[in-house]
Amino acid sequence: MLEEVERWLDTRSWSLADRPVQQLLTAKHATGQSVSVVLPALDEEATVGDIVTVIRRDLMGRVPLVDEIVVVDSGSTDRTSEVAAAAGARVVHRDAILPRLPAVPGKGEVLWRSLLVTDGDIVCFVDADLREFSADFVSGIVGPLLTDPDVHLVKAMYDRPLGTAAGQGGRVTELMARPLLNMHWPRLAGFVQPLGGEYAARRSLLEQLPFPVGYGVELGMLVDALHLVGLDALAQVDVGVRRHRHQDGQALGRMSAAIYRTAQLRLARGHLVRPSLTQFERGADGFEPRTYSVDTEERPPMTEIAEYAARRVA
């Protein structure tokens, strides 16, 4: 491992115990920083309400660490919006944000648009499918941002069990993202969960980054942040165990294709010969091909959007 990465692991990898919540609250009051929590959600009625409830109870009621919780619904067909609102979140539909620009499907699209409907100096993203959710996921990753002005982005690290098997989750991370990072961006090799959906960053950083519209958003954000603010501005915090809904192998294949595309753009700013992925499913007459488009679009840095600039001035 690179000597620089080993040093980074010693100085920029922390645990929850390193920053008690009361210390974070003191730092928040001293610096005047505000914290927004964003949950991108698509058909997550089974889990989104519990996540919102825990954050409101533990980090807005017992300890006033979080200033707002926003659930951005990206087109749910279930009761995600109603459940989230009943639990106390402000719910905004993806298509209602920046309506002059038609929305495209994808997680990155939702995260990008969320910058227009949140106010926090620190923005914390949390996936809406987490089970047995703990407020530590939020307090852990916003902690370094509240206490250390040199830190600009913090990823959560955790164990990811797959069923009853410990540490077997994160298949796309191990088969796609980690090899890409080790080979092409070895300075990022120390991130335990580079694709994890729980991370927090300063708005001043996020608004300067392009956002891949799909599943490549996490890898793209890490690579771009490395080049923009440097390795020592990035960090990770151990928050324990992450349990969530796992996707099937074919969905993971499509996710991997989007991540590879994101990496390829950053390596060469070139074009795929064929920006699509063909997979196979067994049908009545044998294996049948199914071809899916690979996410190729990226949204520009939010500072280039006129509505965002006008909102900041106001």
Side-chain angles (χ1 to χ4, degrees):
M1 183 177 288
L2 290 175
E3 182 178 334
E4 183 182 12
V5 176
E6 292 181 347
R7 178 192 57 77
W8 180 84
L9 283 168
D10 287 337
T11 61
R12 285 292 187 262
S13 294
W14 295 297
S15 69
L16 287 166
D18 292 328
R19 292 176 177 82
V21 172
Q22 193 57 47
Q23 178 186 350
L24 304 186
L25 192 60
T26 299
K28 175 180 168 67
H29 289 157
T31 60
Q33 297 176 93
S34 55
V35 177
S36 299
V37 176
V38 172
L39 277 69
L42 177 64
D43 294 332
E44 303 293 358
E45 67 174 350
T47 50
V48 68
D50 290 341
I51 296 172
V52 172
T53 296
V54 169
I55 295 172
R56 284 189 58 85
R57 181 192 66 210
D58 295 350
L59 299 179
M60 297 181 83
R62 294 174 181 170
V63 177
L65 195 67
V66 170
D67 298 281
E68 64 174 348
I69 307 175
V70 179
V71 171
V72 183
D73 191 326
S74 58
S76 297
T77 57
D78 65 3
R79 298 182 61 253
T80 291
S81 290
E82 293 87 342
V83 170
R90 176 161 61 92
V91 179
V92 184
H93 196 281
R94 175 199 62 197
D95 296 347
I97 307 170
L98 200 62
R100 72 165 174 85
L101 192 65
V104 295
K107 179 183 179 182
E109 177 82 351
V110 173
L111 301 184
W112 182 72
R113 289 176 185 258
S114 75
L115 297 180
L116 273 161
V117 292
T118 53
D119 295 310
D121 303 302
I122 295 168
V123 183
C124 175
F125 299 118
V126 176
D127 281 351
D129 66 342
L130 301 190
R131 304 180 186 279
E132 301 177 33
F133 178 77
S134 165
D136 290 343
F137 274 79
V138 174
S139 60
I141 56 180
V142 303
L145 296 164
L146 288 169
T147 59
D148 189 337
D150 294 328
V151 175
H152 289 255
L153 184 149
V154 182
K155 298 278 294 189
M157 56 177 168
Y158 34 67
D159 295 315
R160 294 184 68 178
L162 180 62
T164 57
Q168 295 300 307
R171 291 161 288 172
V172 175
T173 292
E174 300 303 331
L175 296 174
M176 175 60 71
R178 200 176 307 287
L180 280 172
L181 292 176
N182 275 264
M183 288 186 289
H184 298 297
W185 296 281
R187 296 170 71 201
L188 296 173
F191 277 95
V192 175
Q193 297 291 349
L195 300 185
E198 290 68 50
Y199 49 98
R202 300 192 188 281
R203 178 177 294 272
S204 57
L205 171 62
L206 294 172
E207 65 188 10
Q208 297 182 69
L209 299 177
F211 277 61
V213 298
Y215 284 116
V217 63
E218 276 84 22
L219 183 134
M221 190 175 295
L222 267 186
V223 171
D224 293 339
L226 173 67
H227 291 303
L228 192 62
V229 295
L231 182 60
D232 282 341
L234 313 181
Q236 59 186 351
V237 174
D238 188 347
V239 297
V241 179
R242 183 187 197 265
R243 293 182 172 84
H244 66 112
R245 172 174 47 81
H246 292 281
Q247 301 193 54
D248 62 35
Q250 292 206 334
L252 297 181
R254 297 190 291 275
M255 186 185 301
S256 296
I259 290 165
Y260 180 78
R261 169 64 172 179
T262 299
Q264 186 215 31
L265 283 173
R266 279 151 182 78
L267 286 168
R269 291 295 166 182
H271 299 283
L272 281 175
V273 174
R274 179 174 180 260
S276 57
L277 175 72
T278 298
Q279 298 176 316
F280 295 88
E281 298 177 7
R282 184 181 291 280
D285 299 319
F287 285 101
E288 300 174 356
R290 300 284 188 273
T291 299
Y292 302 88
S293 297
V294 174
D295 295 320
T296 58
E297 189 169 355
E298 295 198 6
R299 295 304 191 187
M302 191 57 79
T303 51
E304 298 178 12
I305 302 299
E307 290 88 339
Y308 186 78
R311 176 177 175 271
R312 297 288 283 175
V313 170

